[in-house]
Amino acid sequence: MTRPPGSHRRHLGRELRHARDAAGLTQKQVAGVLKCKQAKVAKLEVELMEIRLEELETLMHIYRLPDVKREQLRAAHANSDKPRTTANLPKRSKAYVTLVDLEGEASEILSWHSERIPGPLQSEPYMLKQFNLNKQGGSSSVTWLVRERTARNSLFTTDPAPCYRVILSVSSLLRIPGGWDPKLALDQMEHLITLMNKYPQLDLRLLTLAANISAAVNDFTVLKFQESTPEYIHASDFAYIEHPGGGQIIPGTKPFLKSWDELLGAASSRTETLDLLTEWARQIYDQLVGRPSGQQRGITP
Amino acid sequence: MSDVNPDRIPPLDVNLDRPSVARIYDFFLGGTANWAIDRVFGQQVLDQLPMIRDMAMANRQFLNRAVSLLCQLGVRQFLDIGAGVPTAGNTHQVADQVAPDSRVVYVDNEPIAIAHAEQLLDAEGDPGRHAAIDADLRNPDELWAKAMGTGLLDPEQPIALLIIAVLHVAQPGPDGTDVAPRAVARYRELLPSGSYLAISHATTDGVPDRLQASLKQLADMYSDAGNSGAHRTRAEIKEFMGDFEIIEPGMTWTPNWHPEQQTSIFGHKLEFEDPSESIVWAGVGKKP
């Protein structure tokens, strides 16, 4: 059957994922051959990124694809448009892209957030709400965002997965995109609970409003790498911060680590965090479905 | 595949602030593609009508059985309109069990549903056999062109058109009147000879009196949440089949439709005292 113009490239990423599955290879193994980051292989397979012809040839070679299939995929590549961009979505800074590409390669991630939930921990509606999609965008934007979120969430499932340590101020649970919305807050809390139960390497700590700190410093994320990290990844420890002008990569992590230790000293334990989230989620849920809630701890002291 | 449809009726709405029919259905089926807003609504419905979970299960089992039987009858092409968010027992998964060469195109007009379908196909779909497209049931010619445009369906060969638990959701045209009968009639024309049409549709007609008050409440709850329904009698549902020959056992309550067709998706035992408690009238017709 003939395909209409434009439909070829839509299948290229899936063809590559399908071929990799058939060859019994993981994204990380393929990244090792291409000498790139696993995140790049993930992006190529869902077409969040365009593949170069020489990369395609290498992949077809290691997947041992038959000649007929190779011809089809070359044709698909030749017919490809630029990856669909997301005109309605904000542009990502170079520093942000570096963070996202490298977080799956890190041995440890330390992250502190006072007023928002970091990307890998966002529930789907929380993520979509940030982009105010009621007013703009369309299904291609939604699909793009959902794919981007899935690609980023592979940091939980990649092997070996980084130890992901996060301290969240309680205010980050209350500051909901678009204003306070109990249903969205509940969704986000339930998502955090699910992630904590599913991934032991996620060490999430809440910093309650009663916690004894002098002031909440600005949000930051530190990525630490093992010395054995492959050379082509070129990663040494760094801190990432965001500001209205974009994102910034900072090579010296020492002051951030000091700040992290102070915050950690004041934060709840992982078990206590899980208990608090469960209790608050239950309170909101009971309220929303109209059930009486027992005497419980509130979010504010 | 998932371009924005400029002629969408009504205009595109990503709908983050209202529960979605598709995700509530996923919640009743025990899936994971639902949000808190859907779970809260779903729980309120369950409090009123605990049987809703079995009603949803029975409907899903009808879909699974229909796909399975149609594969056994030789059908290899499926067009699943209003497929919703992928949940337990998706059409391509059931079809693959019987016919590994089957091809499936999923259709929905809701961006979140499409994004989830794309994501599932990213992970496990065969790009030579599966696709998801953004199109609206109410624009049959446009939907048909887009579906054929995937290159996966051969319009000369029989196609099974699945419209499962979709037509009882209001389908207003540009002037607000219900366009479902006209749209389905057009699909019957477009389908090649030997094709099949599978429909399931909730109704209060023939449902025991003891359920009527709860069903009225249910309809009001969905309507208040922005999901208006379309009310039809069993005879009106059958009219969607036009001159198609309805295959055995005819139009029935979902639990009565080929119960021998077991799919491995659900081990769940339904607790209905009578099949009419399933509230969903269903059947499959064949184009002469």
Side-chain angles (χ1 to χ4, degrees):
Chain A
M1 274 175 279
T2 48
R3 293 181 201 286
S7 68
H8 282 97
R9 77 162 302 278
R10 295 200 287 254
H11 286 167
L12 189 55
R14 275 185 203 158
E15 291 279 8
L16 292 174
R17 193 267 308 149
H18 198 58
R20 179 177 57 74
D21 281 351
L25 295 169
T26 64
Q27 287 182 343
K28 208 143 202 167
Q29 287 169 321
V30 172
V33 177
L34 285 184
K35 299 220 180 307
C36 70
K37 298 159 196 97
Q38 179 257 333
K40 177 171 172 175
V41 180
K43 283 184 190 171
L44 293 178
E45 290 186 356
V46 291
E47 298 179 20
L48 288 172
M49 195 175 168
E50 199 172 12
I51 189 166
R52 294 201 314 270
L53 184 60
E54 54 270 31
E55 291 167 334
L56 177 64
E57 293 292 346
T58 308
L59 290 183
M60 293 195 297
H61 176 71
I62 58 175
Y63 298 158
R64 295 171 196 273
L65 292 183
D67 289 345
V68 181
K69 195 74 189 174
R70 290 187 196 204
E71 274 312 311
Q72 280 177 2
L73 296 192
R74 282 184 199 115
H77 184 265
N79 274 339
S80 70
D81 322 317
K82 289 275 174 224
R84 231 163 280 263
T85 47
T86 45
N88 299 311
L89 304 175
K91 216 170 144 28
R92 277 84 165 107
S93 71
K94 208 175 151 200
Y96 173 82
V97 174
T98 302
L99 169 79
V100 170
D101 283 354
L102 281 172
E103 60 193 0
E105 311 287 344
S107 57
E108 194 177 9
I109 303 170
L110 307 178
S111 200
W112 149 250
H113 294 272
S114 62
E115 284 283 311
R116 59 185 291 271
I117 306 288
L121 298 185
Q122 289 173 6
S123 78
E124 189 174 78
Y126 182 103
M127 178 275 289
L128 291 171
K129 187 74 183 184
Q130 282 191 318
F131 294 97
N132 196 18
L133 287 166
N134 282 340
K135 305 277 185 304
Q136 57 180 334
S139 61
S140 58
S141 300
V142 175
T143 301
W144 176 283
L145 289 168
V146 168
R147 279 189 170 134
E148 200 178 51
R149 176 171 176 269
T150 306
R152 196 170 180 194
N153 284 354
S154 68
L155 84 90
F156 290 111
T157 51
T158 188
D159 185 25
C163 175
Y164 187 23
R165 308 179 68 191
V166 189
I167 303 172
L168 288 183
S169 165
V170 162
S171 44
S172 64
L173 298 172
L174 300 171
R175 178 71 58 203
I176 297 295
W180 172 250
D181 174 350
K183 287 171 182 162
L184 205 51
L186 173 63
D187 197 276
Q188 183 55 58
M189 286 183 198
E190 289 182 338
H191 183 65
L192 292 174
I193 294 166
T194 304
L195 288 175
M196 287 182 82
N197 285 328
K198 200 167 170 187
Y199 302 114
Q201 78 272 23
L202 171 61
D203 183 10
L204 177 63
R205 315 291 190 101
L206 281 176
L207 188 73
T208 64
L209 296 179
N212 181 8
I213 54 164
S214 51
V217 294
N218 291 346
D219 295 1
F220 62 83
T221 298
V222 173
L223 263 58
K224 292 181 175 179
F225 299 89
Q226 277 176 340
E227 284 182 7
S228 59
T229 304
E231 209 176 287
Y232 55 82
I233 289 175
H234 280 304
S236 46
D237 298 1
F238 66 84
Y240 168 82
I241 57 167
E242 261 174 25
H243 49 80
Q248 199 180 335
I249 300 284
I250 300 170
T253 58
K254 216 169 168 183
F256 293 96
L257 296 176
K258 185 166 174 273
S259 191
W260 170 270
D261 283 341
E262 283 168 16
L263 291 164
L264 189 66
S268 303
S269 70
R270 188 183 194 273
T271 312
E272 176 72 359
T273 296
L274 194 51
D275 285 349
L276 284 170
L277 285 171
T278 308
E279 213 170 295
W280 293 338
R282 168 61 60 185
Q283 280 177 41
I284 298 176
Y285 182 82
D286 285 347
Q287 218 166 25
L288 287 169
V289 299
R291 285 180 187 162
S293 230
Q295 192 67 27
Q296 286 172 317
R297 287 174 289 185
I299 290 183
T300 48
Chain B
M1 188 178 310
S2 47
D3 300 29
V4 181
N5 179 352
D7 303 322
R8 186 180 285 275
I9 40 171
L12 177 72
D13 177 4
V14 179
N15 202 354
L16 297 174
D17 304 322
R18 293 204 305 255
S20 114
V21 176
R23 294 192 309 261
I24 300 164
Y25 179 51
D26 174 68
F27 166 73
F28 292 143
L29 294 175
T32 55
N34 49 78
W35 300 345
I37 196 167
D38 312 303
R39 293 190 286 276
V40 165
F41 181 83
Q43 187 55 52
Q44 286 165 334
V45 172
L46 271 171
D47 289 344
Q48 294 298 324
L49 187 64
M51 219 182 273
I52 189 86
R53 191 153 257 159
D54 278 4
M55 293 167 178
M57 290 273 188
N59 180 69
R60 195 69 176 172
Q61 286 178 347
F62 165 72
L63 165 68
N64 289 181
R65 288 167 178 160
V67 171
S68 189
L69 184 77
L70 289 168
C71 282
Q72 291 162 45
L73 292 172
V75 178
R76 291 296 177 269
Q77 313 193 95
F78 292 87
L79 182 56
D80 190 345
I81 300 183
V85 294
T87 185
N90 294 296
T91 297
H92 79 279
Q93 293 161 336
V94 177
D96 274 1
Q97 288 175 3
V98 185
D101 57 337
S102 54
R103 298 183 296 280
V104 178
V105 174
Y106 292 107
V107 185
D108 212 291
N109 67 344
E110 206 271 314
I112 310 287
I114 287 296
H116 280 250
E118 295 277 22
Q119 200 181 21
L120 177 74
L121 297 181
D122 284 345
E124 64 165 63
D126 177 341
R129 300 192 296 118
H130 308 129
I133 60 169
D134 171 18
D136 198 304
L137 168 99
R138 294 166 289 179
N139 296 326
D141 288 278
E142 191 183 304
L143 183 151
W144 189 262
K146 236 173 169 179
M148 297 308 136
T150 61
L152 300 183
L153 303 178
D154 181 349
E156 304 297 318
Q157 295 297 317
I159 295 171
L161 177 63
L162 313 174
I163 311 181
I164 307 299
V166 172
L167 297 168
H168 54 234
V169 178
Q171 304 291 339
D175 63 357
T177 59
D178 182 34
V179 297
R182 204 167 21 152
V184 176
R186 180 64 184 140
Y187 291 115
R188 290 198 306 268
E189 283 172 12
L190 288 165
L191 286 167
S193 174
S195 290
Y196 292 88
L197 171 61
I199 284 175
S200 74
H201 190 303
T203 181
T204 53
D205 177 33
V207 172
D209 288 346
R210 63 181 179 280
L211 283 180
Q212 295 291 346
S214 303
L215 292 179
K216 171 80 179 69
Q217 218 167 9
L218 179 75
D220 290 345
M221 284 174 81
Y222 270 84
S223 181
D224 290 347
N227 298 299
S228 295
H231 304 284
R232 286 189 180 85
T233 62
R234 286 171 292 174
E236 286 168 333
I237 297 167
K238 191 183 174 190
E239 283 172 19
F240 281 120
M241 291 294 182
D243 61 350
F244 280 26
E245 296 157 2
I246 299 173
I247 68 171
E248 288 298 316
M251 299 297 290
T252 67
W253 299 112
T254 46
N256 288 348
W257 200 90
H258 289 279
E260 81 288 354
Q261 291 289 328
Q262 287 307 328
T263 62
S264 57
I265 312 290
F266 293 112
H268 183 83
K269 194 176 171 319
L270 304 175
E271 304 283 343
F272 300 127
E273 283 175 31
D274 185 274
S276 61
E277 291 177 353
S278 68
I279 75 161
V280 178
W281 194 241
V284 175
K286 183 179 184 184
K287 183 165 181 170

